Amino acid sequence: MKLKGRNKVSPDFSMSSMTDIVFLLLIFFMLTANSPNALDLLLPKARGKSTNTQNVSVSIDKNLQYFVNNERINGEYIEIELKKALKGQEKPTIILRAEESVAIKEAVNVMDIANRNNYKVILAVRPN
C-alpha cells in the first residue's frame, strides 16, 4: 500500500518578491520626504485660483523698485514692512509679483525673507 502523496512541498523561499516590495517602499519614502531647508513655495496654476485669505503683495518692477501692497518702499526695508503688514495673521502669505526681466536673485531675496519669518510665498504668474 502506497501512503506517500504525489505532491511534494518545496522548502525553498524566493526573495525576489520581498526585495521588490522593499524597493518600492524606498522609492515611496524618498519621494514623500521633505527637505527641512527647502522654501515653502506654492506655485499657482496659470489658469488662476482665488483664495479667501488676506495676503500681502510684493511687486518688483524692471527698475528694481519694490512695492508692498502697491506702496513703493526702499528695498533695504522690505523685511520691516513685511513684518508690519503680516503682524497678527494666522497664516501669513506673500504674493510675489516680479517682472520677467528682473534677475532671479531679487526674487530669491524676498523668498529668503519669507523663509526666515515662516511666511508662505505664492509666485504670481501670467495666464496662458
Side-chain angles (χ1 to χ4, degrees), residues 81-93:
E81 291 295 324
L82 286 174
K83 284 182 180 180
K84 284 182 196 174
L86 293 170
K87 187 176 183 178
Q89 289 192 16
E90 185 176 332
K91 293 181 181 178
T93 305

Side-chain angles (χ1 to χ4, degrees), residues 64-120:
L64 299 180
Q65 295 176 340
Y66 288 82
F67 299 87
V68 174
N69 289 336
N70 297 325
E71 182 182 329
R72 185 170 179 229
I73 62 163
N74 190 342
E76 298 172 5
Y77 304 115
I78 190 163
E79 186 168 5
I80 296 167
E81 291 295 324
L82 286 174
K83 284 182 180 180
K84 284 182 196 174
L86 293 170
K87 187 176 183 178
Q89 289 192 16
E90 185 176 332
K91 293 181 181 178
T93 305
I94 298 171
I95 298 177
L96 178 58
R97 293 182 174 94
E99 284 191 17
E100 265 183 322
S101 60
V102 172
I104 192 71
K105 74 175 190 173
E106 303 300 328
V108 169
N109 181 31
V110 176
M111 290 182 220
D112 187 38
I113 291 169
N115 187 36
R116 282 195 306 258
N117 295 293
N118 295 324
Y119 302 149
K120 291 188 184 247

Side-chain angles (χ1 to χ4, degrees), residues 10-25:
S10 174
D12 296 335
F13 179 72
S14 176
M15 287 291 289
S16 63
S17 61
M18 185 65 73
T19 55
D20 289 344
I21 291 171
V22 170
F23 181 68
L24 289 174
L25 285 172

Side-chain angles (χ1 to χ4, degrees), residues 39-45 93-94 120-124:
L39 293 174
D40 191 16
L41 296 179
L42 301 174
L43 298 177
K45 294 182 181 178
T93 305
I94 298 171
K120 291 188 184 247
V121 177
I122 298 174
L123 181 61

